[in-house]
């Protein structure tokens, strides 16, 4: 485009262009921030039933307990037939279980077949009456009882008397155990009392079985959710990395042309145009810093931890060299104690020290900055610290400052993206340690972090 054509661009055209580019910047920032927040928002939380274990096959235990109960009651009472109904899932119907005690299977085969094809609701038959009342029921003479649907089969098998008792979980009937005898028998209060106690014991077995099944179900569900969450997190991390990487080149192009526009036409248009261009330049620079920080954070989590012997004195010296200009500008004094040799990733540990040292210089107060760095061995691990006499961090913010994009100050007060400390946290945790911040006595902040002692426990060594 020739010079006369360029000069023909009026302020309104530039203003519209600035608006479009500002909207594009805002949309790009929103996309990057949303993707990253979704990554960690989805992180959540995932952490509470995984440690629960099931020691045995609960269903097999219940059936075994019921069989033992049938055999024991039949042996004590002399009654040859015992059977168990359990309550259906809807809580309204008793369903046969196939659990029996039969002294003479051939003689009672017809009665067994009919029972196994029968289900009883509340109030119907001896089992239904137990379900309805929650109390034991005794029938001295089945032929004389008008509420005994299996009377014909019972008569064919020579069955005359019956009694049944509930299996109770607290006050709720969860099953019925029934017994039959060829002999006409009047109610035996002692047997009924014993049956009631047995019903409570069986209820505890069933309740324990239910809890075990629920634990298994929830553990499997939790394991499935954990696997799904892990896959989702991996996908989101990949998306955040790719999105950030793919945004870098077009943003660099935008920034280059906007800066060129600012250099060539600053002062030639009205004040509004210069202001709009300035907004765009500032926005693209902040967006570039945000994307670079996001890429750095993604690389920290994606890259393999290369563990070697690392002299932290060398790491710190390199960090001081990288920050020499800002340290000199702040006229900061740095007191350094002897630092250890640890097992770790030199690149990531360099990033850790550089970020913490940069923060100590950046967030200085009115006094001349004084930064102290040291280490001591405690409990088989190195406890390191970087303290300053700066503006400090309010106690209520000391946890959230390690979250991605968390900033306690506006961009106009202190530059930055809010990613540096989250990178520090990830680096320390990947080395098997932890990091936190305390108040420096007299004012300021002290960042403390723990790294494992040099040894075989460090991955890669």
């Amino acid at each position: 485009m020739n010079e006369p054509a360029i000069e023909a661009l009026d302020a309104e055209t530039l203003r519209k262009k600035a608006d479009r580019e500002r909207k594009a910047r805002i949309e790009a920032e929103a996309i990057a921030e949303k993707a990253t927040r979704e990554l960690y928002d989805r992180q959540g939380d995932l952490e509470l039933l995984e440690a629960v274990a099931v020691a045995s096959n609960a269903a097999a235990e219940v059936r075994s307990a019921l069989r033992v109960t049938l055999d024991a009651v039949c042996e004590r009472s002399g009654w040859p037939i015992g059977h168990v109904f359990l309550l259906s899932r809807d809580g309204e119907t008793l369903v046969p279980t196939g659990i029996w005690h039969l002294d003479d299977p051939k003689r009672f085969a017809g009665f067994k077949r009919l029972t196994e094809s029968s289900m009883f609701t509340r109030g119907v038959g001896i089992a239904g009456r137990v379900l309805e009342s929650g109390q034991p029921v005794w029938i001295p003479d089945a032929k004389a009882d008008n509420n005994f649907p299996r009377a014909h089969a019972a008569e064919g098998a020579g069955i005359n008397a019956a009694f049944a008792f509930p299996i109770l979980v607290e006050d709720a009937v969860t099953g019925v155990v029934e017994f039959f005898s060829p002999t006409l028998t009047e109610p035996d209060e002692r047997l009924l009392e014993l049956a009631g106690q047995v019903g409570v014991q069986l209820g505890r077995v069933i309740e324990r079985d239910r809890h075990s099944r629920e634990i298994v179900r929830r553990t499997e569900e939790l394991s499935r959710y954990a696997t799904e969450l892990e896959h989702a997190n991996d996908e989101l991390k990949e998306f955040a990395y790719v999105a950030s990487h793919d945004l870098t080149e077009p943003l660099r192009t935008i920034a280059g042309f906007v800066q060129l526009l600012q250099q060539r036409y600053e002062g030639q248009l009205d004040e509004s145009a210069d202001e709009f261009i300035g907004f765009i330049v500032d926005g693209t620079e902040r967006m570039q810093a945000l994307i670079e920080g996001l890429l750095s954070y993604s690389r920290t989590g994606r890259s393999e931890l290369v563990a070697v012997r690392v002299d932290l004195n060398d790491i710190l010296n390199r960090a001081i060299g990288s920050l020499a200009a800002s340290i000199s500008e702040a006229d900061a004094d740095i007191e350094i104690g002897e630092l250890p040799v640890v097992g770790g990733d030199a690149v990531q540990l360099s990033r850790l020290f550089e970020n913490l040292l940069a923060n100590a210089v950046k967030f200085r107060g009115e006094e001349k900055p004084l930064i102290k760095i040291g280490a001591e061995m405690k409990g088989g691990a190195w406890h390191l610290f970087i303290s300053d006499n700066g503006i400090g961090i309010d106690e209520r913010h000391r946890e959230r400052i390690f979250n991605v994009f968390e900033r306690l100050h506006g961009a106009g007060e202190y530059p930055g993206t809010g990613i540096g400390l989250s990178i520090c946290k990830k680096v320390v945790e990947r080395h098997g340690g932890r990091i936190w911040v305390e108040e420096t006595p007299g004012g300021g902040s002290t960042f403390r972090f723990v790294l494992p002692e040099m040894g075989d426990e460090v991955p890669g060594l």
Side-chain angles (χ1 to χ4, degrees):
M1 185 179 290
N2 56 38
E3 288 296 323
I6 293 175
E7 291 175 358
L9 292 173
D10 58 18
E12 182 63 25
T13 301
L14 287 175
R15 186 178 297 107
K16 290 181 179 178
K17 184 177 181 181
D19 286 341
R20 288 195 301 270
E21 292 178 347
R22 186 184 304 108
K23 289 179 181 178
R25 170 176 56 81
I26 292 172
E27 289 176 358
E29 289 176 346
I31 290 171
E33 184 172 349
K34 180 181 179 182
T36 306
R37 287 192 182 280
E38 284 179 353
L39 171 64
Y40 296 101
D41 284 345
R42 291 191 60 178
Q43 293 184 8
D45 166 201
L46 340 139
E47 344 152 274
L48 193 60
L49 295 173
E50 277 186 328
V52 179
V54 178
S56 60
N57 187 329
E61 290 178 357
V62 169
R63 297 183 70 85
S64 175
L66 292 172
R67 285 195 178 94
V68 168
T69 299
L70 289 178
D71 293 341
V73 173
C74 288
E75 181 179 356
R76 181 195 177 284
S77 66
W79 291 42
I81 305 173
H83 173 254
V84 180
F85 282 103
L86 290 179
L87 197 62
S88 62
R89 290 182 179 273
D90 62 11
E92 296 297 328
T93 307
L94 288 169
V95 180
T97 61
I99 301 173
W100 288 85
H101 173 94
L102 293 170
D103 282 357
D104 189 343
K106 184 176 180 181
R107 175 184 176 183
F108 302 121
F111 182 76
K112 179 183 176 183
R113 283 194 300 272
L114 177 60
T115 298
E116 290 185 344
S117 64
S118 302
M119 293 186 291
F120 296 99
T121 56
R122 297 177 187 274
V124 178
I126 186 171
R129 280 181 273 179
V130 173
L131 175 61
E132 185 176 50
S133 66
Q135 299 294 325
V137 173
W138 191 292
I139 299 176
D141 185 355
K143 293 189 295 294
D145 192 277
N146 58 8
N147 187 5
F148 192 65
R150 292 171 285 172
H152 181 70
E155 184 178 0
I159 294 172
N160 287 295
F163 84 92
F165 62 87
I167 301 173
L168 295 174
V169 176
E170 296 182 349
D171 293 329
V173 177
T174 60
V176 173
V177 185
E178 59 180 8
F179 299 90
F180 304 93
S181 172
T183 306
L184 296 173
T185 309
E186 293 299 318
D188 183 339
E189 295 300 330
R190 292 183 61 186
L191 182 57
L192 289 173
E193 182 181 353
L194 176 62
Q197 295 173 358
V198 171
V200 172
Q201 293 290 339
L202 290 176
R204 292 172 183 165
V205 174
I206 289 180
E207 184 177 27
R208 186 166 62 248
D209 175 68
R210 286 178 176 176
H211 290 330
S212 297
R213 288 175 180 271
E214 182 65 12
I215 288 171
V216 171
R217 186 188 68 80
R218 291 191 180 187
T219 301
E220 291 174 348
E221 187 178 69
L222 180 61
S223 178
R224 185 174 69 254
Y225 287 158
T227 301
E228 292 174 357
L229 180 61
E230 184 178 355
H231 290 163
N233 283 340
D234 289 342
E235 291 174 359
L236 285 171
K237 288 177 183 177
E238 181 69 20
F239 171 77
Y241 178 80
V242 171
S244 302
H245 186 273
D246 290 349
L247 284 172
T248 301
E249 187 58 35
L251 186 62
R252 186 182 296 115
T253 301
I254 293 171
F257 278 105
V258 171
Q259 289 169 355
L260 181 63
L261 187 65
Q262 183 183 48
Q263 294 170 5
R264 182 171 297 181
Y265 299 108
E266 187 174 12
Q268 298 183 33
L269 305 172
D270 60 22
E271 293 182 1
S272 295
D274 290 341
E275 183 180 14
F276 293 157
I277 293 174
F279 287 155
I280 298 172
V281 171
D282 179 65
T284 53
E285 289 176 349
R286 286 192 290 112
M287 189 62 185
Q288 281 180 312
L290 185 66
I291 291 176
E292 289 171 1
L294 183 58
L295 280 171
S296 178
Y297 185 81
S298 297
R299 291 190 187 104
T300 301
R302 288 163 52 90
S303 60
E304 182 180 355
L305 189 68
V306 182
V308 296
R309 296 176 62 89
V310 179
D311 188 337
L312 295 183
N313 295 286
D314 295 338
I315 294 292
L316 178 59
N317 288 334
R318 285 201 291 270
I320 292 174
S322 298
L323 299 169
S326 58
I327 293 173
S328 176
E329 179 185 352
D331 192 25
D333 289 333
I334 302 177
E335 297 180 2
I336 305 173
E338 186 65 24
L339 301 182
V341 174
V342 300
D345 187 300
V347 173
Q348 294 193 12
L349 290 175
S350 295
R351 190 174 295 134
L352 167 67
F353 274 84
E354 189 168 324
N355 282 338
L356 292 178
L357 187 57
N359 269 9
V361 173
K362 182 197 304 183
F363 297 103
R364 56 185 179 270
E366 296 180 359
E367 299 181 8
K368 180 178 179 179
L370 174 60
I371 302 170
K372 298 180 180 181
I373 304 170
E376 60 179 327
M377 171 62 69
K378 290 182 182 179
W382 286 106
H383 288 243
L384 297 103
F385 67 88
I386 297 180
S387 69
D388 61 62
N389 61 343
I391 62 174
I393 300 171
D394 192 287
E395 184 175 2
R396 67 179 185 274
H397 300 312
R398 291 176 190 168
E399 289 290 336
R400 71 182 186 89
I401 59 171
F402 293 102
N403 296 334
V404 179
F405 298 122
E406 286 288 354
R407 294 176 52 87
L408 303 183
H409 309 278
E413 298 177 85
Y414 296 96
T417 60
I419 296 178
L421 288 179
S422 59
I423 291 177
C424 293
K425 183 173 185 286
K426 185 176 285 290
V427 169
V428 172
E429 289 179 347
R430 293 198 73 197
H431 282 77
R434 60 190 182 93
I435 185 171
W436 69 98
V437 62
E438 301 173 351
E439 182 181 4
T440 302
S445 301
T446 298
F447 283 86
R448 298 186 181 276
F449 54 99
V450 180
L451 295 176
E453 183 181 8
M454 181 69 191
D456 296 335
E457 70 278 4
V458 180
L461 291 179

